[in-house]
Amino acid sequence: MTRIIKHFVVSLFCFFLFFLGAMSQPSQNLTDCNKELDAYQTNRNTVLSTLRNRSSLGSYYANATAGLRPNTVYGMSLCIGNISRTSCSDCVHSATLGIGDTCETHDSAFMFSGDCMVRYSDVSFFSLVEESPNSASYSSINSSDYPKFFNKTLPGKINELVLRVSSSSSSHVPYFVEDQQHVTQLEGSYDLEAMAQCSPDLDPRNCTVCLGLVVQKFSECCSHSRWARILFPKCLLTYNISALQPNVTSHGVRKGDDIFGRTFIAIMIALLMIL
């Protein structure tokens, strides 16, 4: 009987030790806590970080690639050429963080943010002309008061910028042209600021093709607008008309027409006196 009791006590002690050992093991529910990020997400974060770093070094344009197929990520950033390098860096920094948070589970994303654009994708888009996504914002005006400006002057300025951009690949900010001028015509005077830009990964021909799409959009939505901002993935156009001073008399007659009328009357009186 004593041997049986002794055997039971030993067995109970062994079970107790086993139970303590089992209790000291980590719970199975915690095994995923330190799981590494998905390969594509890791590569995407690398690309966005690279774009931030390059913009902080003063680059208005940057592209980056990370990872091997099928988890390769392609990324790009582009700042509008008339902002400072610091503003560009701040914009890209904010956009890369924003697109990372908003589109965390997406394989591709595109963001226009103030004065810069950031994007990434699982498919290479370098050197390609793309029509979407695009955006157009503008403010309308009574263009009937300025027929020559909206029918000729403004379209002419837009076409001039398009021609100049494709030949400016070696400028301080590649593929960027900006123009400011005071326009005086019979119907009035205006200050006109306009700029056009292409992404440097395009060649001159594709830059012209891309801006051709912008001009088409301009003619459809904004050709009679005081200001407009048209953005495509690889090119953009903005303009602003200010200090409008129409030549109008108190009777609603344009000064140019009034001068013409008075001149015509003076000539007729002179002829009658001669006769």
Side-chain angles (χ1 to χ4, degrees):
M1 185 68 177
T2 303
R3 182 178 297 178
I4 293 174
I5 294 174
K6 183 179 180 180
H7 179 74
F8 174 76
V9 171
V10 171
S11 298
L12 183 62
F13 181 72
C14 290
F15 176 78
F16 181 71
L17 291 178
F18 173 78
F19 179 76
L20 288 178
M23 288 293 291
S24 66
Q25 297 300 315
S27 170
Q28 292 296 316
N29 293 332
L30 300 177
T31 54
D32 289 333
C33 281
N34 296 319
K35 182 179 179 180
E36 292 185 357
L37 293 174
D38 174 78
Y40 186 85
Q41 187 178 3
T42 301
N43 293 335
R44 185 204 61 171
N45 292 343
T46 298
V47 164
L48 295 178
S49 176
T50 301
L51 296 178
R52 281 195 296 271
N53 291 337
R54 291 180 179 173
S55 69
S56 68
L57 296 175
S59 297
Y60 282 79
Y61 165 80
N63 62 52
T65 305
L68 302 175
R69 293 182 179 180
N71 296 308
T72 306
V73 181
Y74 306 89
M76 171 183 140
S77 64
L78 178 67
C79 291
I80 294 179
N82 65 347
I83 65 175
S84 68
R85 295 183 184 275
T86 300
S87 297
C88 175
S89 177
D90 291 343
C91 186
V92 172
H93 185 87
S94 176
T96 52
L97 294 179
I99 201 173
D101 293 338
T102 305
C103 307
E104 183 177 4
T105 61
H106 294 74
D107 291 336
S108 63
F110 195 109
M111 177 179 286
F112 290 120
S113 178
D115 293 324
C116 68
M117 175 273 293
V118 169
R119 65 186 300 192
Y120 69 84
S121 176
D122 57 341
V123 178
S124 176
F125 48 78
F126 302 140
S127 303
L128 299 179
V129 176
E130 300 164 287
E131 296 188 46
S132 62
N134 62 68
S135 170
S137 54
Y138 51 91
S139 175
S140 298
I141 190 175
N142 184 8
S143 60
S144 61
D145 290 338
Y146 314 95
K148 183 177 180 181
F149 178 79
F150 285 102
N151 294 332
K152 184 176 180 180
T153 304
L154 182 58
K157 174 56 63 177
I158 299 303
N159 290 331
E160 176 191 330
L161 287 177
V162 169
L163 293 175
R164 290 170 57 192
V165 171
S166 60
S167 60
S168 62
S169 59
S170 59
S171 62
H172 174 63
V173 179
Y175 288 136
F176 172 77
V177 171
E178 182 179 28
D179 199 359
Q180 301 179 7
Q181 67 178 96
H182 182 73
V183 180
T184 301
Q185 295 175 332
L186 185 62
E187 60 188 13
S189 61
Y190 344 83
D191 288 333
L192 174 61
E193 300 178 25
M195 65 180 178
Q197 184 174 4
C198 284
S199 174
D201 64 309
L202 297 180
D203 59 29
R205 178 181 176 277
N206 280 334
C207 174
T208 301
V209 171
C210 188
L211 286 174
L213 297 173
V214 172
V215 171
Q216 181 179 347
K217 185 80 170 180
F218 160 76
S219 64
E220 294 171 353
C221 73
C222 324
S223 59
H224 289 168
S225 300
R226 180 189 290 265
W227 62 265
R229 180 184 177 100
I230 304 173
L231 306 170
F232 274 63
K234 293 296 182 70
C235 56
L236 60 92
L237 165 71
T238 72
Y239 72 85
N240 182 55
I241 306 161
S242 59
L244 292 170
Q245 297 293 332
N247 289 333
V248 179
T249 67
S250 59
H251 299 290
V253 180
R254 288 189 181 85
K255 288 183 179 179
D257 296 337
D258 186 46
I259 293 173
F260 176 80
R262 284 183 292 163
T263 303
F264 178 77
I265 293 173
I267 293 174
M268 292 299 296
I269 292 175
L271 288 175
L272 289 174
M273 291 179 64
I274 294 174
L275 294 175

